[in-house]
Amino acid sequence: MSTENPAAATVTPTAVVHQDFIRQIVRDDLATGKHHAVHTRFPPEPNGYLHIGHAKAICLSFGIAGEFKGWCNLRLDDTNPGKEDPEFVEGIKDDVRWLGFEWHSLRHASDYFEVFYRSALKLIEDGVAYVDDLNAEEMREYRGTLTTAGRNSPHRERSVEENLDLFRRMRAGEFADGAKTLRAKIDMSAGNINLRDPAIYRIRKIAHQNTGDAWPIYPMYDYAHCLSDAMEGITHSLCTLEFEDHRPLYDWFVDKVDLPNHPELWQSVVAAGLEAKPAKPRQIEFSRLNLSYCITSKRKLAQLVSENFVDGWDDPRMNTLRGLRRRGFTPAGLRLLIERVGVSKQNSVIDYAILEGCIREDLDATAARRMAVLDPLKLVLTNLPEGHEETLTFANHPKDDSFGTREVPFARELWIEQDDFAEVPPKGFHRLKPEGEVRLRGVGIIKCEQVIKDADGKVIELRCTLDPETRHGMPGADRKVKGTIHWVSAKHAVATEVRIYDRLFSVAAPDSEEDGKSWLDHVNPQAKRVVQTWLEPAAANVDPEQRFQFERLGYFVADRVDHRADAPVFNRTVTLRDVWAKPAGQ
């Protein structure tokens, strides 16, 4: 999707003036006239779904483009066929839009395959690239280590003519996979191992999702990524800190190919009808988003799916954006987290509780209230007549009248939460107990007169009386009792499946292996529980992805896949407070 309106880089403009080192670089570049407009990009590889770590990169690249009235491209770095899938492409596009952003132009690295090939021919002609016959294991051996220099390949001094011939034959599909590799000729003794004659092209006879069988050779990421940036006129190429040691190679490729001064290399892009404005980009690194209790390795996320630790990429226990969305996390809550974490070059681990706090903060303001009972105990108001029914009016939001009101049915028999009653109450217990009083939310004060148990001694029913003088509008309505509990009318309640989700891992650093255990040993067996619940009617007949605060229980969302009005399914998004915080004194 392309637009001529630079402000359309994001649909979530903000009045906040962000102060960080990247934005200061951008301000300086605009002030000095180095750039007249800002052009960024978000370049994921379509070999999996996006995760929470990508949210920071999305918010930064799209956010900066929006703040400085520039453009941000979405570019799929699809140089690794076999691991990539159109399903992931569509998922990435969906996730970016869900977070609240829109791209200036949708590009693929494969749009530039001809450019990469012609640029490689230029590097060979300039004497700075050669075809090598070493296999992958031999290349590793020749590369050396962090403390020992590498050795030149025996094929490094091939003539330009021989290299051109061999590379063209690679392109023609003449050689087997892995038989030959095109490498840059830089410096095998460089302290930065990335500069020790890195690979540019490898032979892979595998179909590509966009180009089919047209190419038996594919460019390496370091080569394709920087030239893609240069082709699109990216001014500020933002990436995470692990690419800092790759920056000299990034600049080497950009400078040696020199796309702006060699238009013959990229006329295929113009002929295909794509905008081309080659320029020299600047790579800038920032610290990635690391959260406690999380795994962000795509390989490990894929393993969780393939080995059935979770129910798919969108399982609400996963920290993929699809999983977080299905869990009920909000785009605004995620953007708030990114804003609070900020941008720096210092790696750190953010407490998962901060993310949950941001989601609570957003949902507190945006989620309507409803009543639900997760662990039901029957309560009968014996001084109301059999068959008694009435309709009460409740506010949908205690802090925002614009949410309006709803009607809630009330009857003689109710469901309350099991833990809102204690036959032998602990110290400080302010809910229902034998002969005790509590306020029934929106109704009045009730007193527990009788406790009914089954043959095993389990409490199965409470018989209470409602003080009519404490009902709304009556003289005793202001009478004080310490506790208030919620309820659902047993006759009108809607049976509902509720999935109680929690953190997928039971330790803060699941992949540290400091305790001698693997990361899979720390999967939290209590991260998903399914309970049969009773909802008030107004909570059940809603659309998927509608979010509520179930009063006193937490924030919940109608499942975007399984929920139906006639068979409701809700997921717990987050509790009302941080239940993982250590009690005082521990």
Side-chain angles (χ1 to χ4, degrees):
M1 182 173 180
S2 180
T3 175
E4 295 305 314
N5 176 11
T10 172
V11 297
T12 55
T14 174
V16 176
V17 178
H18 298 283
Q19 301 291 345
D20 57 66
F21 77 99
I22 294 180
R23 287 174 170 88
Q24 192 56 51
I25 290 172
V26 173
R27 290 187 185 100
D28 291 345
D29 287 346
L30 292 173
T32 60
K34 180 179 180 180
H35 299 298
H36 299 292
V38 173
H39 202 155
T40 61
R41 84 290 173 269
F42 172 59
E45 183 181 353
N47 63 350
Y49 287 103
L50 302 182
H51 55 65
I52 183 71
H54 291 110
K56 182 176 181 179
I58 293 170
C59 290
L60 186 58
S61 290
F62 280 95
I64 284 178
E67 289 165 38
F68 293 96
K69 302 190 184 305
W71 299 269
C72 185
N73 287 355
L74 173 61
R75 183 175 72 239
L76 287 308
D77 269 333
D78 54 351
T79 58
N80 193 14
K83 292 187 177 181
E84 298 161 351
D85 194 292
E87 175 187 338
F88 296 138
V89 172
E90 294 307 310
I92 288 168
K93 290 157 65 176
D94 189 43
D95 287 343
V96 170
R97 284 179 167 142
W98 175 71
L99 266 182
F101 300 102
E102 187 58 78
W103 47 87
H104 167 70
S105 184
L106 176 65
R107 297 294 180 93
H108 301 77
S110 54
D111 295 336
Y112 312 126
F113 276 178
E114 187 66 30
V115 178
F116 302 152
Y117 176 68
R118 294 187 184 189
S119 298
L121 290 173
K122 176 184 183 296
L123 294 176
I124 295 173
E125 291 167 350
D126 292 345
V128 292
Y130 63 97
V131 175
D132 197 1
D133 293 355
L134 296 180
N135 61 35
E137 184 176 337
E138 291 168 334
M139 278 191 201
R140 280 192 294 271
E141 181 185 343
Y142 272 74
R143 187 175 292 123
T145 67
L146 291 173
T147 56
T148 60
R151 293 177 291 142
N152 288 348
S153 165
H155 311 289
R156 195 175 195 264
E157 300 307 322
R158 279 174 164 153
S159 68
V160 168
E161 292 72 24
E162 185 180 4
N163 283 318
L164 285 172
D165 174 64
L166 290 172
F167 186 54
R168 287 179 174 129
R169 289 162 66 189
M170 287 170 61
R171 167 69 180 92
E174 188 172 324
F175 305 112
D177 282 16
K180 297 185 185 298
T181 305
L182 182 68
R183 299 176 69 180
K185 187 187 289 189
I186 307 181
D187 182 2
M188 289 302 293
S189 63
N192 186 337
I193 290 182
N194 293 299
L195 298 178
R196 296 182 187 177
D197 291 9
I200 300 176
Y201 267 94
R202 79 283 203 198
I203 300 172
R204 290 202 71 196
K205 294 180 178 177
I206 185 170
H208 187 280
Q209 57 169 332
N210 281 349
T211 60
D213 295 318
W215 293 89
I217 57 173
Y218 291 98
M220 303 301 289
Y221 175 85
D222 277 337
Y223 174 70
H225 177 73
C226 61
L227 294 186
S228 297
D229 283 349
M231 274 301 303
E232 295 170 21
I234 300 304
T235 57
H236 303 85
S237 175
L238 310 180
C239 59
T240 46
L241 280 176
E242 61 262 35
F243 291 100
E244 189 168 32
D245 289 341
H246 294 248
R247 194 196 323 144
L249 180 58
Y250 181 103
D251 292 336
W252 190 91
F253 280 132
V254 168
D255 291 339
K256 293 296 183 183
V257 172
D258 191 17
L259 286 171
N261 292 313
H262 291 275
E264 71 279 4
L265 300 177
W266 42 271
Q267 289 310 302
S268 60
V269 173
V270 177
L274 293 176
E275 181 183 38
K277 46 182 182 181
K280 182 174 179 177
R282 176 181 178 180
Q283 177 175 301
I284 306 171
E285 305 87 14
F286 61 91
S287 61
R288 65 188 300 165
L289 177 61
N290 297 307
L291 285 174
S292 62
Y293 298 93
C294 278
I295 292 286
T296 54
S297 158
K298 278 187 180 179
R299 178 184 60 81
K300 290 181 177 179
L301 291 172
Q303 188 175 345
L304 288 170
V305 174
S306 64
E307 297 184 11
N308 299 316
F309 284 93
V310 294
D311 300 327
W313 286 94
D314 68 343
D315 187 303
R317 290 168 289 185
M318 291 277 274
N319 59 21
T320 57
L321 295 186
R322 298 177 82 78
L324 296 176
R325 176 178 180 175
R326 192 170 176 187
R327 173 95 166 246
F329 282 32
T330 62
L334 293 178
R335 294 195 301 267
L336 180 60
L337 171 73
I338 304 307
E339 182 178 312
R340 288 186 174 166
V341 167
V343 181
S344 74
K345 276 186 172 287
Q346 183 65 44
N347 272 324
S348 60
V349 178
I350 307 302
D351 192 333
Y352 195 82
I354 295 176
L355 167 59
E356 293 177 319
C358 290
I359 300 302
R360 286 190 194 97
E361 188 171 328
D362 181 49
L363 289 174
D364 179 57
T366 59
R369 276 39 172 181
R370 295 291 185 265
M371 290 194 292
V373 174
L374 299 185
D375 188 12
L377 172 62
K378 178 162 282 191
L379 184 150
V380 180
L381 296 172
T382 56
N383 61 333
L384 294 182
E386 294 277 353
H388 175 86
E389 288 184 38
E390 59 182 289
T391 300
L392 306 177
T393 300
F394 277 63
N396 285 325
H397 199 294
K399 306 172 187 175
D400 191 340
D401 292 341
S402 69
F403 278 72
T405 61
R406 70 189 188 280
E407 294 186 343
V408 179
F410 171 67
R412 183 175 187 263
E413 296 186 357
L414 309 172
W415 295 116
I416 66 167
E417 293 287 349
Q418 286 273 0
D419 61 8
D420 277 340
F421 171 78
E423 190 172 17
V424 182
K427 184 179 180 180
F429 186 81
H430 298 306
R431 286 162 283 170
L432 205 53
K433 56 189 176 183
E435 301 300 319
E437 289 187 320
V438 74
R439 184 174 298 279
L440 203 59
R441 167 90 165 90
V443 179
I445 296 173
I446 62 171
K447 182 178 181 180
C448 182
E449 307 280 5
Q450 186 179 4
V451 178
I452 308 298
K453 301 180 181 181
D454 63 13
D456 297 322
K458 179 183 177 181
V459 176
I460 58 172
E461 183 179 310
L462 304 177
R463 294 187 178 173
C464 304
T465 54
L466 169 63
D467 181 352
E469 292 297 311
T470 62
R471 301 205 62 181
H472 181 69
M474 298 301 290
D478 294 332
R479 182 159 73 84
K480 304 296 183 184
V481 289
K482 287 188 174 180
T484 299
I485 64 173
H486 68 279
W487 52 273
V488 174
S489 167
K491 179 177 181 179
H492 305 92
V494 179
T496 302
E497 178 179 310
V498 171
R499 298 161 182 173
I500 306 296
Y501 289 108
D502 207 338
R503 301 178 190 183
L504 182 55
F505 295 98
S506 55
V507 297
D511 54 358
S512 71
E513 298 186 355
E514 291 180 359
D515 56 3
K517 296 181 179 180
S518 83
W519 64 281
L520 288 173
D521 292 327
H522 297 301
V523 171
N524 177 11
Q526 298 301 314
K528 177 184 178 181
R529 292 187 299 114
V530 178
V531 297
Q532 295 303 311
T533 297
W534 294 107
L535 298 185
E536 63 165 280
N541 189 14
V542 298
D543 294 330
E545 293 197 89
Q546 190 159 345
R547 303 176 182 91
F548 295 106
Q549 182 195 106
F550 289 169
E551 296 190 23
R552 302 177 64 232
L553 300 176
Y555 294 98
F556 294 75
V557 65
D559 187 82
R560 68 186 301 238
V561 176
D562 297 329
H563 174 83
R564 302 196 318 268
D566 62 337
V569 177
F570 277 82
N571 303 325
R572 186 176 73 182
T573 303
V574 68
T575 54
L576 290 180
R577 58 189 62 82
D578 182 9
V579 297
W580 285 69
K582 288 185 177 180
Q586 289 192 14

